[in-house]
Amino acid sequence: MKIGIKTNLKRDIKALASKLFCQKLREVGIEYKVCDNAKEYFDAKVIASTKEVFEWCDVVVAFGGDGTMLDIVRNLPSDLPILGINMGKIGFLTEIDENQMGYAISALQSGDYAIERRSMLNATLGDQQFYALNEIVVSCQDPCHVSVFDIYIDDILADTLRSDGVLVSTPTGSTAYSLSCNGPVLSPTVKALIINGICPHSLHSCPIVVDDNMSIKISTKNQYMRVIADGTIVAKSQDDGMDIIIEKSEKQASFVRLKNQNFYAKLRAKLNYWGD
C-alpha cells in the first residue's frame, strides 16, 4: 500500500502530527509521499505536488477538519479513498483523532477497514462545472438584499423563493449548512437531495426533498449573484442574473472507515454539544 499525506498546516501546526504519522509508516515499511504545501517540514525525497501524490497513492491520509476533507474531495482526480485524521473541532467527515494513528496504520496494513461511498453534486453554470460533497449555494454577493429565485425540478417550476439564497444539499451535507437552515437530517444511504431556502422571507417556506436522479435548476434575474461549493466561492455574475443546473454527480467521495460506528451515534457525539 502507498499512502499520500495531505496536511492542513493551519490545523496541524508545523506538521507535528503528520510527521509522527510518517515516522510510524517508516517503522512498518509503508511507502508514502507528502504534498508539497508541507515541504519545509519533510525530506525533499518524499515531497511531490498534490496532483502527483494523488495519482501515485492508494489511499490519501488527510490531517485537518471537515474543511480539509471537503477541499480534498472536490479536487481528487478519482474516487480515491480518504482517511481523515481530525485536527479540527467537530470533524464529522474525519474518522479518527490523532491519538489513534497507530491503530489506523495497523488497520490499513491488515486490510481491516471498509470503503464508504458518498454521493456528490455537479453544478453546471454555462460552460463551467463545479463539484461539491455537502452543498451548492446560490446567493447574492450583498447579503443585506433579498433575492428572488425560481426553483425548477426536472424543468417543472416547483417554487419561487424570496430569500438570502438557495442551497441544494446531499445527504452528507444534511448535517452541515442545510441543518443550520432547519433542513432535515438524512442518513448517508438515502438517495435524495434537499432544496432549502436561506433565511426565506415567507411564512410558508420549507425544505423540499427530491429523488437524487432529478435535475434541479435555480434561476434568478437578480444582479451580483455568486455560487458557493462547499464553502468556497467558485463563480460570480454581475448584471445578467444566473441559471444554474444542479444534479447528482457521477463522481463519488470514498472514505476509509475503520470502526463500525453507527451514523446516529456519530451524529449525537459530534453535534449534540454546547459552546466550543
Side-chain angles (χ1 to χ4, degrees), residues 169-172 174-175 184-190 192-194 209 263-264:
S169 168
T170 64
T172 299
S174 72
T175 57
V185 172
L186 302 184
S187 165
T189 58
V190 172
L193 301 175
I194 303 167
V209 179
F263 168 73
Y264 302 101

Side-chain angles (χ1 to χ4, degrees), residues 174-199:
S174 72
T175 57
Y177 196 174
S178 180
L179 180 65
S180 300
C181 296
N182 294 318
V185 172
L186 302 184
S187 165
T189 58
V190 172
K191 298 185 183 303
L193 301 175
I194 303 167
I195 306 168
N196 208 346
I198 301 170
C199 298

Side-chain angles (χ1 to χ4, degrees), residues 21-276:
F21 187 81
C22 290
Q23 178 185 327
K24 293 178 181 291
L25 290 177
R26 290 194 301 271
E27 290 171 358
V28 297
I30 295 179
E31 290 184 86
Y32 67 90
K33 287 187 179 180
V34 181
C35 294
D36 57 5
N37 69 303
K39 61 184 178 182
E40 63 182 297
Y41 300 107
F42 291 88
D43 190 304
K45 291 185 290 187
V46 300
I47 294 295
S49 70
T50 298
K51 181 176 184 293
E52 290 171 330
V53 170
F54 288 171
E55 289 176 349
W56 172 83
C57 67
D58 301 310
V59 174
V60 174
V61 175
F63 290 81
D66 286 342
T68 305
M69 299 288 284
L70 292 171
D71 182 65
I72 292 173
V73 165
R74 281 200 313 275
N75 294 291
L76 277 181
S78 66
D79 59 351
L80 194 64
I82 307 166
L83 171 63
I85 298 180
N86 186 30
M87 306 293 294
K89 292 183 178 178
I90 296 178
F92 202 84
L93 295 175
T94 56
E95 181 66 2
I96 61 170
D97 295 323
E98 60 178 307
N99 59 1
Q100 297 173 297
M101 291 190 293
Y103 161 64
I105 291 172
S106 297
L108 290 173
Q109 267 193 309
S110 63
D112 186 20
Y113 62 90
I115 301 296
E116 181 182 72
R117 303 194 187 279
R118 299 283 186 96
S119 60
M120 296 182 65
L121 296 173
N122 177 41
T124 303
L125 178 65
D127 58 357
Q128 303 177 82
Q129 287 200 329
F130 314 105
Y131 295 96
L133 174 62
N134 275 353
E135 73 277 313
I136 298 288
V137 174
V138 181
S139 66
C140 184
Q141 296 175 42
D142 181 356
C144 296
H145 288 83
V146 172
S147 301
V148 180
F149 303 90
D150 290 325
I151 312 298
Y152 295 85
I153 301 173
D154 281 350
D155 295 322
I156 299 172
L157 180 64
D159 201 359
T160 297
L161 293 176
R162 291 176 57 83
S163 63
D164 286 356
V166 179
L167 67 85
V168 177
S169 168
T170 64
T172 299
S174 72
T175 57
Y177 196 174
S178 180
L179 180 65
S180 300
C181 296
N182 294 318
V185 172
L186 302 184
S187 165
T189 58
V190 172
K191 298 185 183 303
L193 301 175
I194 303 167
I195 306 168
N196 208 346
I198 301 170
C199 298
H201 193 241
S202 168
L203 294 176
H204 75 273
S205 179
C206 64
I208 301 173
V209 179
V210 301
D211 188 288
D212 68 0
N213 286 316
M214 291 180 167
S215 176
I216 299 164
K217 183 172 80 169
I218 301 172
S219 179
T220 179
K221 294 181 172 60
N222 286 83
Q223 299 177 341
Y224 304 110
M225 304 306 293
R226 61 185 177 183
V227 180
I228 304 171
D230 287 343
T232 298
I233 298 172
V234 292
K236 293 182 179 181
S237 71
Q238 297 301 318
D239 300 323
D240 52 356
M242 182 176 289
D243 291 305
I244 184 168
I245 296 172
I246 302 171
E247 299 170 306
K248 182 178 71 173
S249 174
E250 293 183 0
K251 180 178 178 179
Q252 291 183 311
S254 299
F255 297 109
V256 174
R257 296 306 185 205
L258 305 178
K259 300 172 287 187
N260 185 23
Q261 186 174 21
N262 180 278
F263 168 73
Y264 302 101
K266 190 170 188 179
L267 189 67
R268 291 196 308 272
K270 296 290 186 179
L271 296 183
N272 188 25
Y273 68 97
W274 295 87
D276 293 334

